[in-house]
Amino acid sequence: MKAFGHTRATRLDEADALVELDIPAPEPGSRDVVVEISAVSVNPVDTKLRSIAPPNGEARVLGYDAVGTVVATGGQVRGFRAGDRVFYAGSSLRQGSNARFQAIDERLIARAPESLTDEEAAALPLTALTAWELLFDRLGLRAGEMESPDALLIVGGAGGVGSILTQIARRLTGLEVIATASRPETVEWCKAMGAHHVIDHRRPLDQELARIGIPHVRYVAGLTATGQHKEAIVRALAPQGALAMIDDPGEFDIMPFKRKSLSVHWEYMFARPVFDTPDMAVQGRILGQVASLVDAGLLRTTLKQVIGPITLENLRKAHELMESGKGIGKAVLCGF
């Protein structure tokens, strides 16, 4: 089958940064379904993995967001059957979704939202899982508790995770949601996603919060440049508040967080599938809840751009967009 990935650690300016592969179509394991891929989106993890050599010198198929149709099931699969339209983010340990077919553990998938096109649905899985786990697993909030005096600051509100995190926090909690953005188009996007306020992350975050009359927040979601903003985040957080981050700030000294008894969390969406945790099926259930919320009109797709069909040229364009740091929402590729 046709697939796209890499065979070594590369920079995007290298000719073989991404290559077309001809590999065998997957066979389902006992708990797997095989999905015929119709649409995918690209995430920062795709570019990160491209810069790391595949294990054992083998070709790695990239891509972790997908929408498609189940075409085969393993012997122990009970929740899905051929013909089901599903969406998922998968596992970084297995071959990715930039391929005609992909085998995926049934515990990690859900039926795609009926109200969305394939392109619209493909924008959601990885970022929705990340946002949901960050809010409810890492920060300990409870979905549906709408009475809260607290506020959440989302650093990097216009990106893929920020776009859906803003919606989930606005719709499923009583938090006051403050997003950061620095360009007119990203400010407007954050407002459209539901942010109560948008502040400028080119300025000290605590000063920007004071400007809008919010001296402290209980929670901060560090989605980008967390290391750069660390001192301002410590100042902005109320005593006994919490920071949850998803980026890779390198060395990160947490001692400044001690005086206020602040907690620091990392959210990594692939932790459950990589370590085959006993609660791995939670991810499938989260996606099922997200699909229901979308179909109920409470959440919307974060799709911003359809680049075109799933080709080598278009995947390179998507990787370029990710590495530029100027993407808004999600970019999707659809069809072979």
Side-chain angles (χ1 to χ4, degrees), residues 33 69-73 77-86 111:
V33 301
T69 303
V70 174
V71 295
T73 60
V77 172
R78 297 293 180 267
F80 300 90
R81 60 185 180 182
D84 285 343
R85 178 173 172 262
V86 297
R111 287 170 179 80

Side-chain angles (χ1 to χ4, degrees), residues 151-333:
L152 166 70
L153 173 63
I154 301 173
V155 184
V161 175
S163 299
I164 192 64
L165 176 57
T166 298
Q167 294 184 60
I168 293 171
R170 180 68 188 265
R171 292 292 193 176
L172 300 186
T173 78
L175 295 172
E176 191 164 9
V177 181
I178 307 132
T180 78
S182 60
R183 293 176 282 151
E185 59 269 32
T186 53
V187 170
E188 289 306 310
W189 179 265
C190 290
K191 290 178 179 177
M193 293 297 106
H196 292 94
H197 310 278
V198 183
I199 63 174
D200 190 345
H201 48 230
R202 294 173 300 184
R203 300 170 182 169
L205 298 178
D206 58 320
Q207 294 180 22
E208 280 288 279
L209 287 170
R211 179 180 61 80
I212 62 172
I214 300 177
H216 297 97
V217 297
R218 177 72 182 275
Y219 306 104
V220 173
L223 309 183
T224 184
T226 306
Q228 173 187 329
H229 295 296
K230 184 181 74 173
E231 292 181 4
I233 288 171
V234 172
R235 294 192 298 266
L237 277 167
Q240 302 183 84
L243 163 68
M245 64 185 114
I246 67 170
D247 60 341
D248 303 310
E251 293 184 4
F252 194 83
D253 181 10
I254 64 171
M255 283 303 297
F257 292 78
K258 178 181 178 180
R259 186 167 178 266
K260 288 184 174 179
S261 290
L262 303 172
S263 59
V264 178
H265 308 260
W266 246 282
E267 160 57 23
Y268 184 55
M269 184 233 90
F270 288 123
R272 280 178 163 126
V274 163
F275 293 99
D276 193 18
T277 60
D279 65 347
M280 192 167 80
V282 165
Q283 291 204 332
R285 293 197 291 271
I286 291 171
L287 288 176
Q289 288 177 278
V290 169
S292 295
L293 290 164
V294 168
D295 287 337
L298 296 175
L299 299 178
R300 54 178 279 193
T301 182
T302 56
L303 172 65
K304 178 64 174 177
Q305 178 182 1
V306 178
I307 294 178
I310 305 168
T311 65
L312 197 60
E313 178 183 4
N314 286 337
L315 283 166
R316 181 180 282 272
K317 289 179 182 178
H319 279 238
E320 288 174 352
L321 181 62
M322 282 294 102
E323 293 187 353
S324 75
K326 295 183 178 180
I328 299 175
K330 294 295 295 292
V332 170
L333 296 85

